[in-house]
Structures are given as structure tokens and as C-alpha cells.
Amino acid sequence: MQRPSLSHALQQVAHAYRGHMAQTIREADLPLPGTHVRALKAVCYMEGCTAQRIAQRMRRDKAQITRVLNDLLESGLILKACNPADKRSQLLHATPAGEAMMLRIQTLEQQTLARMTRDLTQEEVEHFIRIAWHMTQNLEGDLPPDN
């Protein structure tokens, strides 16, 4: 049997991870779709987080990100504050409820990652991380990793 190509292998691992995370989030009764989870992660981890920076990081239209952020605002998971560096934008921060939601998401991610890597050694996992990071750098330059 022919081994899968690098392209196919990357697509399969990304698809399997996203699919399992989506299923795990549904089973945990978390009320957030994937885009909302990624946006909340950006708010929680990105210094000086703005809607524009999230749109750039996620490679999404700013209007789409604004709709997602409005949902997170209405859910009480994030807050907006004046941006002293740029009066045209607002800084985004997680509320205590948003931080609690992020902790739940992190727990679900850890469960998924444990399942995904259960037959791998720590050295194999670290090697995969180094290779994936190097490949990302080859394509994107010096962007920090997306949490």
C-alpha cells in the first residue's frame, strides 16, 4: 500500500483534530462554534488584542470576526476597552466567565491531545512540534504560534 503524501497527511491530521475537538466541545455542551473558540483563545492569549489583529491571525474577514466578537460580548465572555494607542480600535479582554470557559476548552484540548498522542513517545511529540513549527515558519515567516 502506498504511503500518503505529505499534503494528505497534513490534511488528515488537521481534519481529525478539528473534528474530534468539535465533537468533544459538543459533547461537553459548550455553546461555542469553532470560530468562536479560536477568537476567544486570541482574546485570552494575544497581547493588545483587537478585532483587526484577530482577523489577520485567523485570516478571516474583519466583518465576520466582528460578528463573532459581538456574540462573545453578548455571552459575557469578553469586554471591550478603549485602546490608548489607537482611538479607532478597542482592546479586547476576557471576563471571568470567558477565562472559565477558556479553562474548560483547555481541558478538552488536553484530553484530545492525550488521545491523539497516546502511542507516541514524548520525544516523538517534541520532534513533530519542531517539524510543524519549522514548516509553518517556511510558509509564514515569524508569526508566533496560534494557541
Side-chain angles (χ1 to χ4, degrees):
M1 183 168 153
Q2 183 178 348
R3 292 181 62 151
S5 68
L6 177 58
S7 175
H8 183 74
L10 290 171
Q11 289 171 1
Q12 289 297 104
V13 74
H15 180 74
Y17 176 76
R18 285 189 187 118
H20 193 272
M21 275 303 302
Q23 177 184 345
T24 302
I25 287 171
R26 276 192 309 275
E27 289 172 357
D29 290 326
L30 293 184
L32 297 177
T35 303
H36 290 60
V37 169
R38 288 186 65 211
L40 180 59
K41 287 174 99 175
V43 170
C44 289
Y45 299 124
M46 190 184 290
E47 284 291 320
C49 185
T50 64
Q52 182 64 38
R53 290 190 62 207
I54 293 173
Q56 289 169 342
R57 170 66 65 86
M58 292 177 61
R59 292 177 182 85
R60 302 281 185 186
D61 179 74
K62 187 170 179 270
Q64 179 186 14
I65 295 303
T66 299
R67 287 189 295 276
V68 169
L69 294 173
N70 285 336
D71 289 347
L72 294 174
L73 279 163
E74 289 174 20
S75 298
L77 298 174
I78 66 170
L79 295 171
K80 289 182 180 180
C82 293
N83 184 351
D86 182 357
K87 301 295 184 201
R88 298 170 295 162
S89 70
Q90 295 177 315
L91 295 175
L92 304 166
H93 304 280
T95 64
E99 291 172 1
M101 179 68 72
M102 195 70 253
L103 287 174
R104 289 179 69 195
I105 292 166
Q106 288 173 333
T107 299
L108 298 173
E109 285 179 335
Q110 289 306 313
Q111 291 169 357
T112 296
L113 292 172
R115 180 175 175 178
M116 187 176 188
T117 60
R118 71 177 162 220
D119 296 327
L120 299 175
T121 66
Q122 184 63 32
E123 183 179 307
E124 289 171 324
V125 172
E126 290 170 6
H127 189 68
F128 175 80
I129 291 168
R130 281 191 304 276
I131 290 171
W133 178 245
H134 190 90
M135 289 175 165
T136 302
Q137 290 299 297
N138 286 343
L139 296 175
E140 295 183 353
D142 294 327
L143 290 178
D146 194 10
N147 289 323

